[in-house]
Amino acid sequence: FEEKKTKLAGKRISVLKSSELVQAKKVETKVLLDKVIKNTDWSQSYNSPSHLALNYSSTSNLSKTRLITSGKGETSRSKILSQPLIYKNNIFFLDANSNIISFDLLNKKINWKKNIILKNERGHSIGGGLAIHKEKIIVNSPYGEIIAINLKNGDEIWKKNIDTPIRSAPTIFDNKVFSLAVNNRLLVLDTENGDLLWEHQGLFNNTSLMNSPKVAVDDNIVIVPYSNGDFFGLNLINGKPIWKNTFIDIESKEITNSFTDIDAFPVINDDQVILASAIGKITSVNKKTGNSIWSKDLFSLQTPAVNGNSIFIINNNKEIVCLDIKTGNVRWSSKINEELSKHYINNWYSPVLINNKLIIVGGDKKIIILDPLLGNLEKVKSLSSMPSSSPIVIEEKVYLFLKNGDIVQIE
């Protein structure tokens, strides 16, 4: 594979304006970030079952990209909806044609490639995702299967047919795999043999968006969001509900958005759970009881970055907002220039913290870098193609999966 280096085009311009979207009273407390850490692998989406954002160290100055490897890119009937994974110097990803590809980062070659499309089912590979656990890759298939694959050679170990597409990546915790199907059915399997341990069924929703969330787990509680706006705290051992809450109850006025989806992943921070929804709300609830702590009027389909005493979130695909984690009050908000977003049509993906900076990709093939303390813009760069997800950071290197199927390193 050719190691093609491309200078990221783009001049430094003012792209963030004072927001007219967030009208809440701003708070005076300062942003406090967790310490920068070196990350050594990325074994599931957002790198943990709790989806808590870390402050990653990196040697990259985000000035150029280098092609690592490629899979099949998106079409009108096939979409990439999950992040790649990196484990022991190998990168694993699910491309837009439902190929699982293992690529050796040191020797720069493909280890193996496996296609998971069922016979007579070609042409609609929408989503799915991967997680790594004890030398296995656990696969959520858009064709209604949960599969365990040998990490080294791609051989199938076990398979569970559930007859319903799965668009999100699995969550792994305590030797259990948590897979959420598009019909609001949560299945929990034994990672060793694929046996069903328990399941939970939410109410079916006829109208939903393409993306699908991933469950969050911490201690003995599973947080599962459903596309009808409900979310549950379930017992890890048996799946019995501990509490139930809903975005529909939170909304006191008439619902104007026909979509009630919770596409953003729940984030667990100590005893607090942060959830955002397409209904136009972000809420914080107590992890143990489900009782509301605060709720704010923000619209987001992207998982918020929760770190230190702050929440960083994309609001309405038009602005970046920093909230106080305890109160939900706004610290700062910065509007994204429309020119960077192609009239706000293209998504901005979940923020990532790298070297105490806020990194956001998306829009019209752009990377923007901000000061997380004040929200000031520091840099804008361009990408060769639109990203399919947020960057991942391993061994101080930054990788990005593009919609055209390329995996690139941002240097």
Side-chain angles (χ1 to χ4, degrees), residues 283-301:
T283 187
S284 168
V285 301
N286 184 282
K287 181 181 73 173
K288 296 178 180 178
T289 65
N291 293 336
S292 177
I293 299 172
W294 53 258
S295 175
K296 299 295 175 181
D297 293 324
L298 289 173
F299 172 91
S300 188
L301 304 179

Side-chain angles (χ1 to χ4, degrees), residues 46 52-53 56 65 106 125 140 173 205 208 230 259 279 281 306 319 328 339 387 392:
Y46 285 78
L52 197 61
Y56 299 105
T65 60
L106 297 181
S125 296
N140 277 356
F173 187 85
N205 187 21
S208 62
D230 292 342
F259 294 105
I279 208 170
K281 290 285 184 181
V306 179
E319 67 176 343
E339 294 178 0
I392 65 174

Side-chain angles (χ1 to χ4, degrees), residues 144-146 160-166 179 181 183 185 187 189:
E145 295 182 320
I146 305 169
K160 179 83 171 179
N161 191 325
I162 67 167
D163 297 321
T164 306
I166 313 173
S179 299
N183 64 350
R185 181 187 176 199
L187 294 101
L189 309 182

Side-chain angles (χ1 to χ4, degrees), residues 341-399:
S341 300
K342 215 169 185 177
H343 309 295
Y344 299 121
I345 295 173
N346 300 325
N347 285 335
W348 290 98
Y349 291 94
S350 301
V352 177
L353 281 166
I354 302 176
N355 293 337
N356 292 314
K357 302 297 179 183
L358 203 60
I359 314 299
I360 302 169
V361 301
D364 190 16
K365 297 181 284 188
K366 293 292 187 289
I367 304 173
I368 56 177
I369 302 163
L370 300 93
D371 173 9
L373 304 184
L374 300 173
N376 297 330
L377 174 74
E378 296 192 351
K379 190 185 295 184
V380 181
K381 293 293 182 179
S382 295
L383 293 164
S384 59
S385 177
M386 288 189 292
S388 63
S389 59
S390 299
I392 65 174
V393 187
I394 307 94
E395 297 290 354
E396 300 192 314
K397 298 176 182 177
V398 182
Y399 298 89

